[in-house]
Amino acid sequence: MTACPPVVLSIAGHDPTGGAGIQADIETIVYHGCHACSVITALTTQNTRNVKRVCCQEPEALIEQLRAVIQDIKVDAIKIGFLGSAEIVAALLPLLSEYNRIPLIADPVFAAGGGAQLANDELIQAIKSEIVPRALIVTPNSHEARALDSMGSNLDECAGALINLGCRFVLIKGSHEKTELIVNRLYSASGLIKKSQWPRLPHTYHGSGCTLAASIAANVALGKEIPVSVEEAQEFTWSTLEAGYPPGHGQWFPRRNTVQNES
Ligand code: PLP
């Protein structure tokens, strides 16, 4: 059997616990039957409680690693997670422009579940002005959506502003809202196209956003349209969380290895 599975290239940070970041992406991508290529933006010191330190990779080395992969392997989707610094975003731009035919799934990461800030204003602005316009879909949680559009008075307006910047779809995750159910909203240029509600589970989870965005990226690489990719990725992520486990003293992890995708 020599057929090559669809390839997802993940550009994200390393979380040594394995719950979030590039490992979450790789586990999710492989679960979906795709091949994962991975380029690491930053090493972090963290555990299940919080992030203590971030060590960004040299932008030049990062781009060299990306080019080596992308000039050799046919990549079907690119998934972007934690970017580390505005300098890394600036360095990525020529490559993203050159390979703009590859669908880009961008998951903004501004804070760790334990509260540590993972993005300064410069990085947030760089993601807004340079990554959002290039993305097929952006998947912020409600806090990240408000940070990306500080003018928006509600989440519908924030989504509209991001679509106006040039991305085709926005999925705003409602997990950080004080609502009984978690409400995720998918938007396109036509406005809100799908609202999904999920029961709120009793724990907080590390890597749920990474899992969801990587699952969307894998579905896109498999040739699925965004509404289907998002629907199936939410089902998959929900089932990993429902079967989650507490490996340490803090947040729970999604169970990505054995869970059955019901979609
Ligand atoms: N990527 C890295 C390297 C992280 O450390 C974190 C959170 O700490 C995330 C991504 C985002 O994790 P989540 O999927 O829980 O939003």
Side-chain angles (χ1 to χ4, degrees), residues 13-15 20-21 44 46 51 82 109 112-113 118 205-210:
H14 179 252
D15 164 13
T44 66
Q46 63 176 299
V51 176
F82 176 54
V109 178
L118 294 175
Y205 296 88
H206 191 56
S208 54
C210 306

Side-chain angles (χ1 to χ4, degrees), residues 132-145:
V132 172
R134 290 173 164 81
L136 169 62
I137 180 166
V138 184
T139 61
N141 63 37
S142 50
H143 292 181
E144 290 154 350

Side-chain angles (χ1 to χ4, degrees), residues 44-47 49-54 112-116 118 206:
T44 66
T45 305
Q46 63 176 299
N47 56 25
R49 289 187 166 128
N50 212 348
V51 176
K52 297 193 177 72
R53 183 177 161 135
V54 172
L118 294 175
H206 191 56

Side-chain angles (χ1 to χ4, degrees), residues 15-38:
D15 164 13
T17 70
I22 208 124
Q23 185 171 328
D25 291 354
I26 295 169
E27 289 176 6
T28 303
I29 292 162
V30 169
Y31 181 89
H32 285 70
C34 296
H35 174 79
C37 294
S38 52

Side-chain angles (χ1 to χ4, degrees), residues 36-89:
C37 294
S38 52
V39 172
I40 297 179
T41 53
L43 300 177
T44 66
T45 305
Q46 63 176 299
N47 56 25
T48 61
R49 289 187 166 128
N50 212 348
V51 176
K52 297 193 177 72
R53 183 177 161 135
V54 172
C55 232
C56 287
Q57 198 184 171
E58 278 289 319
E60 204 181 304
L62 178 120
I63 300 307
E64 190 180 273
Q65 292 155 23
L66 278 169
R67 284 204 179 277
V69 170
I70 212 164
Q71 286 169 355
D72 182 35
I73 295 176
K74 181 186 162 288
V75 171
D76 298 288
I78 298 176
K79 187 254 167 185
I80 286 185
F82 176 54
L83 280 166
S85 72
E87 289 73 28
I88 288 181
V89 175

